[in-house]
Amino acid sequence: MTTYLVPAGSLPFWEERLQQHGIATVATERFSEASLLFEDPDGLVVELVARPSSKQTRWVIPGITEHEAIVGFAGATLLSKAPDETVRLLTELFGFERVAEDEEWIRLKGSADYGNVIDVKKTILPNGVPGTGTVHHIAWRVTDGDHYPTWQDAIFDLGLRPTEVKERNYFRSVYFHDAGRILHELATDVPGFTVDESVDTLGETLRLPPWLEADRDKIVRTLPAITIPRGEHI
């Protein structure tokens, strides 16, 4: 489950806005934090959590002010086939701190200001089926990939098998499964998504890496048309 961070006190606004768009919501609470759960059109569960943060987005659209706008990722919920092993990976390899636990969840926290909270469910659920409504993997940021050999060695030392470095045109990646069958990606910040378009026009047209250009027509035919209101930087 993907979790987005919204400003404290903004959940009533989001509950009303989602319901106005015909999206059912479920109010819940985890570790004394209020949140809203809902499904996207593909059945993917999304969570909005109200959590204090020093960050505040400056991008808004009509009807949403900086007091309600999504700040960014709040974190993620992981459903592992071996929860203790997943927690061990996140603490020993990635440096997360185990900060809370109840009968259902283990909460881990990183050092960043936001996007730093991972909740691991203690209940072992049936295997997921790849496809719409599921999350393929969780990605972690690395700066430039210069330390990939060190990461790969550390992953091997845990008895896991990292991939070679994958070239993704906008970034580079290394993947591996943990013992709980969760797929992790270590993705670089560089070169970034401005290698072939400017920040001002980012996302307005479909950009593809060179090796997929030959399939552009086929890819475009599979994509639904979307309309996104242009934001305003305040």
Side-chain angles (χ1 to χ4, degrees), residues 80 82-96 98 106 108 120 154-155 157-160 178-179:
S80 173
D84 289 341
E85 290 299 313
T86 294
V87 169
R88 184 169 77 91
L89 172 86
L90 295 176
T91 54
E92 294 183 8
L93 182 64
F94 291 156
F96 277 81
R98 189 169 179 153
I106 298 170
L108 308 174
V120 180
I155 294 165
D157 288 344
L158 291 174
L160 306 173
D178 70 15

Side-chain angles (χ1 to χ4, degrees), residues 7-209:
S10 66
L11 288 182
F13 167 86
W14 283 107
E15 183 174 24
E16 181 179 355
R17 183 176 177 86
L18 288 164
Q19 291 176 356
Q20 286 176 347
H21 285 77
I23 300 172
T25 62
V26 176
T28 187
E29 184 176 294
R30 192 182 312 138
F31 298 115
S32 300
E33 287 182 338
S35 66
L36 283 179
L37 301 180
F38 60 95
E39 293 185 358
D40 77 359
D42 289 320
L44 183 68
V45 179
V46 180
E47 181 178 34
L48 299 180
V49 62
R51 180 180 299 151
S53 170
S54 64
K55 300 295 183 180
Q56 188 177 59
T57 185
R58 298 178 64 189
W59 289 96
V60 298
I61 63 172
I64 301 178
T65 74
E66 69 271 23
H67 301 295
E68 299 94 25
I70 292 173
V71 175
F73 286 121
T77 298
L78 302 184
L79 308 180
S80 173
K81 300 298 289 184
D84 289 341
E85 290 299 313
T86 294
V87 169
R88 184 169 77 91
L89 172 86
L90 295 176
T91 54
E92 294 183 8
L93 182 64
F94 291 156
F96 277 81
E97 181 184 0
R98 189 169 179 153
V99 295
E101 183 174 353
D102 61 18
E103 293 182 354
E104 188 176 4
W105 301 96
I106 298 170
R107 170 156 290 188
L108 308 174
K109 191 174 183 179
S111 58
D113 182 72
Y114 65 97
N116 61 335
V117 174
I118 302 295
D119 288 336
V120 180
K121 193 173 183 65
K122 297 164 75 171
T123 303
I124 298 175
L125 301 176
N127 290 333
V129 178
T132 56
T134 62
V135 176
H136 184 261
H137 65 275
I138 183 169
W140 307 97
R141 291 176 62 187
V142 297
T143 50
D144 52 19
D146 288 349
H147 300 291
Y148 269 146
T150 302
W151 281 109
Q152 289 166 313
D153 288 344
I155 294 165
F156 268 123
D157 288 344
L158 291 174
L160 306 173
R161 297 179 62 84
T163 67
E164 72 277 13
V165 178
K166 306 281 189 179
E167 176 58 56
R168 301 305 194 201
N169 195 57
Y170 304 104
F171 53 92
R172 294 180 293 279
S173 294
V174 166
Y175 299 86
F176 68 97
H177 282 99
D178 70 15
R181 301 306 301 158
I182 292 174
L183 181 59
H184 299 262
E185 176 189 16
L186 305 179
T188 62
D189 285 338
V190 294
F193 289 98
T194 56
V195 294
D196 55 9
E197 56 187 326
S198 69
V199 171
D200 291 339
T201 60
L202 198 66
E204 291 185 356
T205 58
L206 175 64
R207 300 288 180 169
L208 296 172

